[in-house]
């Protein structure tokens, strides 16, 4: 068990990471008002690769770059690449708070996938919580309503890909540094975005939106460092629940920047997703990972 001081540090790091991620999303959404999704993500990846390489060599882990070719590292990078592309595509078409809420259903999807793949046994309480969480997603997406469109479908696909990414992360060996995993992911995100870019008409980059993307690249890289640090020598069950603070940040910034206010259905959906996620984490602490086959292999 982590000490109270270590958990306080982890909570602070988690809140810092969530705030950095949501500000990154704000800058990316602003850039998406001009750039198509593939170009915006490609530009961010280009800046992020530079920052990622700097972190690898600053940590003196350049000799481990060869480990980037491990199948699990590549699998994680590919899943992240497509989740980033689908998230970025939806980002230009949906309110930030709604998209963030859908994306935060990924922890619920992880438990669901773990149950389907027989990685973990899920009791009736968590099964009920998962059902409530998915009902919350339906409240946000609202099939049949005017707000339901391709962006909502793609946002759900992004959340599924994030769940697959996080499950894969749990199988990556501890000998592979987080900096190498992060850099590999960034490179693959850029390659997938470039490939998707052939379906788009790209614009000249000499504009203020490129500065927004450069800032976003720095923020998302630093945020990744903080979220990794948040889980080092801390109680994961305590720290993870603060991940949902990003929904609050996204709602506030969505209102300040674009004047977006979630309607009643979206607000109910967000409450159901957050409540379900927090209860699922609580049950995970009550019944620890004694029946989980993958977790002992390391989390990066």
């Amino acid at each position: 068990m982590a000490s109270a001081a270590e958990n306080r540090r982890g909570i602070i790091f988690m809140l810092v990471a969530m705030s950095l991620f949501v500000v990154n999303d704000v800058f990316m959404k602003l850039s998406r008002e001009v750039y198509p999704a593939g170009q915006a993500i490609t530009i961010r990846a280009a800046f992020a690769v530079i920052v990622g390489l700097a972190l690898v060599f600053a940590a003196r882990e350049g000799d481990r770059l060869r480990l980037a070719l491990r199948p699990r590292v590549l699998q994680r990078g590919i899943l992240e690449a497509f989740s980033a592309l689908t998230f970025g595509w939806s980002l230009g078409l949906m309110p930030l708070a709604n998209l963030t809420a859908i994306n935060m259903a990924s922890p619920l999807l992880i438990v669901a996938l773990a149950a389907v793949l027989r990685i973990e046994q899920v009791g009736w309480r968590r099964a009920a919580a998962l059902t409530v969480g998915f009902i919350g997603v339906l409240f946000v997406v609202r099939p049949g309503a005017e707000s339901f469109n391709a962006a909502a479908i793609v946002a759900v696909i992004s959340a599924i890909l994030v769940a697959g990414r996080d499950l894969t992360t749990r199988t990556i060996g501890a000998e592979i540094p987080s900096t190498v995993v992060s850099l590999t992911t960034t490179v693959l995100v850029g390659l997938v975005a470039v490939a998707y870019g052939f379906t788009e008409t790209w614009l000249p980059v000499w504009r203020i939106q490129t500065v927004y993307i450069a800032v976003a690249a720095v923020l998302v890289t630093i945020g990744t460092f903080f979220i990794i640090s948040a889980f080092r020598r801390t109680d994961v069950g305590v720290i993870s629940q603060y991940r949902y603070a990003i929904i609050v940040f996204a709602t506030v910034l969505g209102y300040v920047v674009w004047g977006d206010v979630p309607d009643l259905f979206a607000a109910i959906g967000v409450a159901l997703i957050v409540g379900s996620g927090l209860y699922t984490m609580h049950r995970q602490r009550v019944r620890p990972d004694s029946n989980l086959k993958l977790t002992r292999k390391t989390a990066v």
Side-chain angles (χ1 to χ4, degrees):
M1 294 293 292
S3 68
E6 288 172 329
N7 278 339
R8 281 195 298 270
R9 171 187 57 79
I11 290 168
I12 293 171
F13 281 5
M14 174 62 76
L15 292 174
V16 170
M18 293 302 100
S19 62
L20 291 172
F21 285 151
V22 78
V23 176
N24 154 76
D25 291 340
V26 168
F27 278 111
M28 288 299 291
K29 187 171 176 62
L30 288 170
S31 71
R32 281 284 285 114
E33 293 174 356
V34 174
Y35 286 129
Q39 183 177 11
I41 295 171
T42 299
I43 296 172
R44 186 180 68 176
F47 285 114
V49 165
I50 296 172
V51 178
L53 278 171
L55 288 176
V56 168
F57 288 106
R60 298 181 179 180
E61 293 171 336
D63 59 331
R64 295 191 175 183
L65 282 173
R66 66 184 186 281
L67 299 177
L69 298 178
R70 292 282 182 87
R72 292 295 186 183
V73 178
L74 294 175
Q75 178 182 327
R76 182 195 186 280
I78 292 171
L79 288 169
E80 170 69 9
F82 283 100
S83 71
L85 182 61
T86 49
F87 185 88
W89 189 86
S90 297
L91 192 58
L93 302 170
M94 290 184 67
L96 181 60
N98 290 17
L99 178 57
T100 302
I102 293 172
N103 198 250
M104 287 311 296
S106 59
L108 302 175
L109 289 166
I110 290 173
V111 177
L113 286 173
V116 170
L117 297 175
R118 297 184 178 181
I119 297 171
E120 182 176 4
Q121 295 179 356
V122 176
W124 69 268
R125 292 180 180 86
R126 281 200 292 169
L130 292 176
T131 303
V132 170
F134 295 139
I135 291 173
V137 172
L138 292 177
F139 267 85
V140 177
V141 174
R142 269 180 294 170
E146 292 181 4
S147 62
F148 182 70
N149 51 36
I153 298 173
V154 173
V156 173
I157 293 172
S158 177
I160 295 171
L161 290 168
V162 168
R165 176 203 68 189
D166 290 346
L167 272 178
T168 302
T169 302
R170 297 164 76 169
T171 68
I172 296 176
E175 74 279 4
I176 305 175
S178 299
T179 54
V180 172
V181 176
S182 179
L183 178 60
T184 305
T185 297
T186 302
V187 171
L188 289 171
V189 167
L191 292 176
V192 169
V194 168
Y196 181 76
F198 285 105
T199 68
E200 303 172 328
T201 301
W202 284 19
L203 304 174
V205 297
W206 302 110
R207 58 185 75 226
I208 189 63
Q209 283 76 17
T210 300
V211 178
Y212 295 162
I213 294 174
V215 173
V218 175
L219 292 174
V220 77
T221 304
I222 297 174
T224 300
F225 167 78
F226 272 103
I227 199 169
I228 291 171
S229 300
F231 288 112
R232 294 287 168 88
R233 298 184 301 277
T234 58
D235 183 347
V236 174
V238 171
I239 306 305
S240 295
Q241 57 193 324
Y242 288 88
R243 184 190 300 267
Y244 288 96
I246 195 172
I247 297 179
V248 177
F249 299 153
T251 302
V252 172
L253 287 176
Y255 173 74
V256 170
V257 179
W258 293 281
D260 292 335
V261 178
D263 60 22
L264 179 60
F265 279 95
I268 293 173
V270 169
L272 292 175
I273 292 169
V274 173
S276 173
L278 292 176
Y279 181 78
T280 300
M281 291 177 189
H282 165 72
R283 290 302 301 174
Q284 190 67 38
R285 293 183 66 196
V286 172
R287 298 177 62 85
D289 288 345
S290 58
N291 60 348
L292 191 58
K293 300 174 183 176
L294 293 181
T295 34
R296 300 307 178 198
K297 271 191 130 175
T298 81
V300 178

